[in-house]
Amino acid sequence: MIIKEHIERVKDEVYKCVHCGFCLTACPTYLVSGLETESPRGRISLMKATIEDQIVPDQNTFLHWDRCIQCRACEPACPSGVNYGLLIESTKEGINVVRSKSKLYKFIFKIILKLAISNRFINFNSYIFRIYKKFNLSNIFNKLKISRFLPNSIKILESMIPNVYGKPLKYGSYLTSNSLKKEKLGFFRGCIMPGIHGDNMRASVNLLNLLGYDVTIPESQVCCGSLNSHNGDMATTIELAKSNIDLFLKDDYKYLIISAAGCGTRIKEYSQLFEKGSEYWDKSIQLKNKTYDIHEFLFENIKTPPRGVINKNVGYQPACHLLNTQKIDEPPIELIKMVPGINFIPIPSSNICCGAGGAYSVTQPKWSKMVLNKKINEIKDSHLDIITVSNPGCFIQLQGGAEMLKLKTEVMYVTDLLYNSYIKGED
Amino acid sequence: MKIINDHRIINTNYPHNKNEFSKVVKKLYKDNQKMIILGGGTKAKYGNPIDSPSHTVFTSELNKVIDYNPSDLTVTVESGMKVEFLMNLLSENNQYLGYILPNKKLSSIGGSTAYGYSGNYRFNDIHIRDSIIGIEAINYNGDFIKSGGQVVKNVSGYDLHKLYIGTQGSFGPIYSISFKIYPKPNYDTRVIFDFENYEDVLNIIKKYLHLNWNIPRLSIYSTNKFKRKLYRLFCNISGTKNAVDYIKKSITKDIKLNNGKLEEINNNINMSVNLDDFGYNLKDEQLSIRILSSKNSDFHHIINYFENCKLNFQLLVNPSIGSISILIENNDSILSYIDEIAEISQLNNYRIIIDYVNLSLQNKLRNKFKNNDNQPIKNLTALLKKNYDPQNLFSSGKFI
Amino acid sequence: MDISQSLNKKIIDIVGKDFVFADKQDMVVYESDGTHDKGMPDFVVLPRTTEEVAKLVLLANEFELPIIARGSGTGLSGGAVPVHGGLVISLNRMNTIIDIDVDSSTATVEAGVINLEISNKASEYGLFYAPDPSSQHACTIGGNIAENSGGPHCLAYGVTTNHVLAIEVVLPDGEITWFGDFNKEVPGVDFRGLFIGSEGTFGICTKVVVKLLQKPQDVKTMLIAFSSIQDAANATTAIIGAGIIPAAIEMMDKTASDAAEEATNAGIPKNSGAVLLIEIEGFESDINDQGKLISDVIYEFNPVDIKIAKNDQERDLFWKARKGVLGALGRIAPNYFLVDGTVPRTKLSAVLSEVSTLAKKYNLIVANVLHAGDGNLHPCILFDQQTPGDTDKALKLGGDILKVCVENGGVLSGEHGIGYEKRDYMPLLFSEIDLNNMKILKNIFDPDGLFNPGKIFPVE
Ligand SMILES: Cc1cc2nc3c(=O)[nH]c(=O)nc-3n(C[C@H](O)[C@H](O)[C@H](O)COP(=O)(O)OP(=O)(O)OC[C@H]3O[C@@H](n4cnc5c(N)ncnc54)[C@H](O)[C@@H]3O)c2cc1C
Ligand code: SF4
Ligand code: SF4
């Protein structure tokens, strides 16, 4: 019983759950379905039933765990302090081991994960997406009636192919022209953003430069490993973690800045991968202490707010991995409010995930879309000009949703909004 | 034969204590005797006249306090206690029920409970059905049935006591009742305003109706005794002195904006002032009915109707309770109007309750005001009656 | 095709296949509520409309299957646990707020709507729904109806039954009807009042009309630490005795407040014998008056620390600490048995000291959390189900505590209901005649006994 073994490793955490149900209404998949099987408490109950031999998890049980977006909104909602992230990762690791017994699955999974973390692929797919959008292949497919033959899930995927903004962001150093030079920063590149959101990422780097920091994006960095750990591939995760820890602990970088919330969480939580007190455990804590999400870093360091006026109604959809795991709630909102002219309008259930969740929109397209629909409709009812986000996954997801439902609201990074205002203010 | 308020009294019983009460009930039931339990007898006129002949069991000797510890803010008394006695008792400790039950001198606590009406004069949104936390009743075997208790929060078992509130004794006699009570606010005021236009009063009411801070209770009073059309608004405000002053000020301001005219202010009346002028000292030639609406403040139809008819009337709209009390001088032509009133009410889904009527009229009004209960409710009510009063001897014919 | 298969098919015909569970592998998640009681359903089904509920009830009648309504399963008496199997009807998909009528300050909602959602929606109009169980962001209004739930602010406002005007129910024979009226004094049997608190044994509630209140203009929230639980209890009694009814008076003893602090960092003074959370509402001058009256009373009981919430965030944090305290106790032990006895408010101190004597005798940790202003105790007996014998010990201690409550003029449950967990304690409070009378009522509503069997009444 591989799954059972994996869950038993986190048994104490499982039994911390007193099934009070407080987490139900924090969970996006429960909110759209009303099903306990798709809720945090339900997923934990399934784990408990597994270790108590009440059930033997089958493919169907796996599905309930697979449908978890791992947004971890259930954690702050839980008064017992259940570390749900740990539970689901361990469980998914078990599932992965079981699944990898299927040769085909193993093969596909390996390729996907390998590709996902390879730098070359990042650049490559950005070209593919670019070509796809540039020549409006979607339209052509439609005209040729090819899309009719595609299964529904692929159709949903097709509609989610992201827009591409600018050339990929290159490795290397970006020096500040500000005379008040400050420390050197390391910058974590992440996997999705540099390829397709090159412009947006450059804006982030520029913002740091504006504040007087030199920014370096070292080429030897590797993927943070979250895609692997979300899907239960812990061995690779550990390998990647060690490599990143060694790189960024170097004195060359006073701080490590991250602009993708998922990577931020993964890196700040590297210590969970190692035994307490071990060498890498120590090191991962050290790294955590110098790692900042770009929003919290900007918020703490901006002394002169931007001056360019932007008269718009703006809302904010926080990234789950900022809000629920890194507990960064106010900084992005404060950054938005720094921009003169902005009328900030909170959207109703902003603390609920949009359904992006790393690879979730690819692995669970139907559920991802259910969650997204709810979100987009709320944004629609809030009558915004701009909905800001703090993470590339959210950006792609919301933009896909906005296009699908023909929303007039523009999706924009918080950092872009801020940067625009700075630029405008300089004129 | 004695007559109390038109009610023919035959074969009276005056139990002096709990056990006597149960014995009497048990025996009468065994002998298949129809019975009515009377406290003050003031509510006998409500609803249909009771099937006669019947035995009358008076609770007037059952008037003891069973438990009262002021710091608990609860009180338990026997059902025959007079309303006024209880009010005075509570008042000594600066407490009150939250409302002033009508006809306090004559009515008993048990009768008021069975009647289920908390009167026109409220200081807060407190109704008798909300303030009763326990009842000890007697079933047809003479057994005591306990429901609820002397604590303010209780979900132990079914809320059986709800069965006895507002059902006119149809399910058996009430022996004792426990109330949740309240500290008397240390200051109160009554402000009276006059308006010429109903719409203006309505605006005020809408604004203040659902404030939960020691809510000002608003009543509109209208009568065709005045030479001109006039609506009189009574605001009862209670709380700390600061609170009362604040509310008084803001209401007065709003009222001026809405064309109202300040008539009178009575400060710190210690809740002693009854609307004694309304509905409590009735004469035989008067008919008093109450019209209940399900939508607050939606009484235009009724008000219009009365203002244009030839009856002599006084009318008290109590939007916070959703009721209009109407006093009509009872003359020969009244019956023809009654049909019209019933029709308006039917149309608007209002319910009509007869609060006071003389016996001859009561007989004529029998079943005039239909209640539009649906079939499941009728079935359930019948089943309740059959189970809790299998021989149909308690208050029979009164309302079921 | 065997019976269960054909039944399964019929259920699917009513609600569609996505909303039926018949596989035990899935249904384990519907086995329990907020307690540690368990029971495996035969089917779990999630209807979308009242009519679907009615059809399901008829079907269950036909197959003589027990019917258990379920809201969010946060109940603390085992109420939603299908102890005899049967059809669990989960109302979570019936979660539409149908109407908010600002003029008459009422809201009409489906039974699966989450309690807090009503206030969230009503807040656009400056209104709110008063009963606020600590679980209010998770529990359904239907569950509240079934349990007649209370909450911290029920001290000033009263409990669920005082705020529910009318309910739509599906009766055990499949009939749909409304109970109650917008008007609170209509003549006739108050079926609404009888149904509220009947713990799912009289039928299924599908829609609810609640009364909304206007939000107070100003709120002041105080956290007061005492050196002993006795002082805190006596202070509570004294405040009420002095004729002040704040919006809420909540108490946590040392064990509870330390756990709550750990979970939330709300700033509760550590190591205090007990803390009171007191809230007053009104407008500024009124609040100051009340606040002064209260502090005058409190100073006689040697408070060691008084904190006043500086802003809404801090206030929310105080409340988060209080409302999440039961879950926070999960940090101390994996299971708790929550006793919900309620006593007259003057008996608080005496009863609490007996509770602590009993806890020592049984050698178990008891954390006390109280809706103190209402005399509603929540001694929380901490134990570990996996330690052999612990569960029995905890249940016995619970029984002893309830005995003490009843001896002091109290009752078995203030807000969580009797359900499965406390049914065997009923004879402590009720005579056989009382119980028989309740059974008559149950028989009138549900002659076949299919609705939530095994609850409320002790096993004979
Ligand atoms: C941490 C915590 C704190 C709590 N704090 C409080 C508190 O402060 N005050 C309080 O009163 N309670 C409290 N509770 C208890 C619980 O939240 C309430 O009893 C709540 O009303 C249950 O609602 P639910 O939707 O979860 O119902 P469930 O647990 O699903 O069901 C409870 C009962 O209601 C019945 N039921 C559910 N829906 C319906 C329906 N539509 N029609 C008919 N019957 C139905 C079920 O059959 C069952 O008997 C708390 C619980 C927890 C876990
Ligand atoms: S909130 Fe925490 S303890 Fe409660 S059910 Fe969810 S995970 Fe379990
Ligand atoms: S991580 Fe998100 S999706 Fe998964 S159970 Fe928790 S709240 Fe639900």
Side-chain angles (χ1 to χ4, degrees), chain A residues 20 22, chain C residues 33 68-76 79-80 91 111 133-135 139-140 142-144 146-147 149-152 195 199-200 203-205 326 336 371 415-416 452:
Chain A
C20 64
F22 274 32
Chain C
D33 57 0
I68 299 90
R70 180 182 172 98
S72 295
T74 67
L76 288 175
L91 289 121
S134 303
S135 51
C139 62
T140 64
N144 294 171
E147 305 288 13
S149 299
F195 190 95
E199 307 192 22
I204 296 187
C205 166
L326 288 183
Y336 55 71
H371 300 306
E415 55 179 23
H416 299 157
N452 214 356

Side-chain angles (χ1 to χ4, degrees), chain A residues 44-64:
Chain A
I44 296 174
S45 291
L46 291 171
M47 295 174 198
K48 209 183 275 181
T50 307
I51 37 186
E52 287 175 1
D53 290 327
Q54 210 187 342
I55 62 167
V56 178
D58 53 17
Q59 289 302 328
N60 181 40
T61 321
F62 291 178
L63 261 184
H64 302 315

Side-chain angles (χ1 to χ4, degrees), chain B residues 44 61 72 84 95 97 118-119 205 222 270 305 310 361 364:
Chain B
E61 299 296 319
D72 281 332
E84 188 170 38
Q95 298 179 333
L97 285 171
S118 339
I205 297 218
S222 161
N270 200 16
Y305 175 79
K310 293 227 159 56
L361 193 55
K364 285 185 199 144

Side-chain angles (χ1 to χ4, degrees), chain C residues 103 149 170 252 285:
Chain C
D103 270 354
S149 299
V170 176
M252 292 186 274
S285 56

Side-chain angles (χ1 to χ4, degrees), chain A residues 80-133:
Chain A
S80 297
V82 173
N83 185 340
Y84 177 82
L86 207 64
L87 297 183
I88 192 72
E89 279 189 3
S90 203
T91 307
K92 298 236 3 181
E93 185 182 357
I95 296 178
N96 188 35
V97 175
V98 174
R99 285 207 176 124
S100 62
K101 291 200 169 136
S102 135
K103 284 214 177 94
L104 179 67
Y105 183 85
K106 202 169 171 178
F107 180 70
I108 296 176
F109 189 73
K110 263 231 166 87
I111 291 185
I112 291 181
L113 282 187
K114 275 268 145 53
L115 279 179
I117 62 175
S118 111
N119 284 326
R120 238 174 296 153
F121 179 71
I122 292 171
N123 292 342
F124 174 69
N125 70 19
S126 96
Y127 288 118
I128 303 236
F129 291 160
R130 193 166 297 149
I131 289 165
Y132 192 90
K133 289 279 169 174

